[in-house]
Amino acid sequence: MSSLKSVWKFSRPHTIIGSVVSIITLYVMSNGDWQSAHLLLLLKALVTGITCNLYIVGINQIVDVELDKINKPFLPLASGEMTISTARVIVYSCFTIASLLAASISLELFLVVTSSMAIGWAYSCPPLSLRRHHLPAALSISIVRGLMVNLGAYRVFNSEMNGSYDLSGDILVLTLFIVTFSIVIAWFKDLPDVIGDRQFKIKSIAVLYSPIVAIRAGQLILSTAYSLSFIYYFLDDSYNMVLAIGHILLFVLFQVNMWKV
């Protein structure tokens, strides 16, 4: 049980949960047909997404062990719960599984998944180490989480289930929102890490300017994204009350939380 707990912590559960919710949502948006043949496609897509995700967060922890001893000492590599050799086995296994499963579904998904893992590698690993400056770091996360996950997975589901590559208005709004949201994620996730980032010369917005600048800049950008989203759903001909009111409620909750920080 302790080994499983270490692997779960190593997987960065919040990112796994986000990937699972994204993939299921895109599946439903593509068709919503729960036939057994399509469920197999969904299952393969979920395993592909989870292993791809685990590769990206795993390679980051392998590279950042010393940094995580300051910023995130609870992670299994930083705390000594897991060895580097075990982490490498997990990461390489996930890379292989994600690549093979994606290839078994379609060439397009294979290209999306391998490109995502390549960006994940470039984000963490030298000589590129894109995470060392907030601009390439935010761009990397927004490309993978925003464009590749949403457009890539939706196109694959839509083509496999419907034989179509058309993109609906909803998927375009979702993609633009998550691209923006991912930029804010890149800024906000560095807020607790100022001490270690400063010591290791990582140029996050919180280090270069201040945590309050990162918070207010992210608040402004995400507030704009929320506003444009619910305006779109109010003005759209096929007015969707759930999405319109849902975005407004989330916007209000976001503002309440932001001003409590």
Side-chain angles (χ1 to χ4, degrees):
M1 287 300 294
S2 60
S3 297
L4 288 174
K5 186 177 178 181
S6 294
V7 173
W8 179 242
K9 288 165 66 177
F10 182 71
S11 74
R12 307 295 278 141
H14 64 283
T15 66
I16 296 292
I17 292 167
S19 295
V20 169
V21 171
S22 293
I23 291 167
I24 293 174
T25 300
L26 292 163
Y27 174 88
V28 174
M29 288 177 69
S30 301
N31 194 307
D33 187 347
W34 300 94
Q35 293 179 14
S36 57
H38 293 164
L39 287 178
L40 178 60
L41 172 64
L42 174 61
L43 179 61
K44 291 169 72 174
L46 283 170
V47 175
T48 301
I50 290 169
T51 50
C52 174
N53 196 116
L54 220 163
Y55 168 81
I56 292 172
V57 298
I59 203 79
N60 178 260
Q61 290 173 72
I62 291 171
V63 172
D64 281 352
V65 174
E66 296 305 315
L67 175 61
D68 286 340
K69 287 179 181 178
I70 300 171
N71 288 343
K72 299 180 180 71
F74 54 86
L75 291 178
L77 288 181
S79 67
E81 286 180 50
M82 181 183 290
T83 64
I84 293 288
S85 58
T86 300
R88 284 181 176 146
V89 169
I90 293 171
V91 163
Y92 296 148
S93 298
C94 286
F95 178 88
T96 303
I97 293 168
S99 301
L100 292 176
L101 266 180
S104 74
I105 295 173
S106 73
L107 175 60
E108 182 176 8
L109 185 60
F110 174 77
L111 293 174
V112 167
V113 167
T114 53
S115 297
S116 297
M117 291 192 290
I119 293 172
W121 176 88
Y123 176 88
S124 297
C125 299
L128 296 177
S129 298
L130 300 177
R131 81 201 191 291
R132 301 193 70 84
H133 193 281
H134 68 88
L135 287 176
L139 187 62
S140 300
I141 294 172
S142 63
I143 287 174
V144 173
R145 281 284 176 192
L147 294 178
M148 291 191 169
V149 170
N150 291 291
L151 293 184
Y154 180 84
R155 278 173 56 90
V156 169
F157 280 139
N158 203 20
S159 63
E160 292 294 316
M161 292 192 289
N162 305 317
S164 170
Y165 287 97
D166 293 341
L167 299 174
S168 67
D170 284 343
I171 193 64
L172 294 176
V173 172
L174 173 64
T175 300
L176 290 172
F177 184 91
I178 298 299
V179 165
T180 307
F181 190 54
S182 299
I183 293 170
V184 179
I185 287 172
W187 294 350
F188 280 12
K189 74 179 183 60
D190 293 329
L191 290 171
D193 299 341
V194 172
I195 294 174
D197 286 354
R198 188 174 284 129
Q199 184 175 324
F200 279 77
K201 296 181 171 56
I202 293 175
K203 297 176 181 177
S204 67
I205 283 190
V207 168
L208 286 177
Y209 303 104
S210 72
I212 195 65
V213 169
I215 287 172
R216 296 303 171 224
Q219 183 179 14
L220 176 62
I221 289 174
L222 197 52
S223 296
T224 303
Y226 270 118
S227 300
L228 292 175
S229 295
F230 59 67
I231 288 171
Y232 168 82
Y233 285 116
F234 271 120
L235 297 179
D236 187 44
D237 292 337
S238 58
Y239 169 66
N240 189 316
M241 185 177 69
V242 172
L243 289 172
I245 296 178
H247 276 79
I248 292 173
L249 291 175
L250 289 171
F251 171 77
V252 170
L253 288 172
F254 172 66
Q255 297 302 333
V256 170
N257 281 319
M258 279 293 91
W259 291 109
K260 282 183 176 179
V261 174

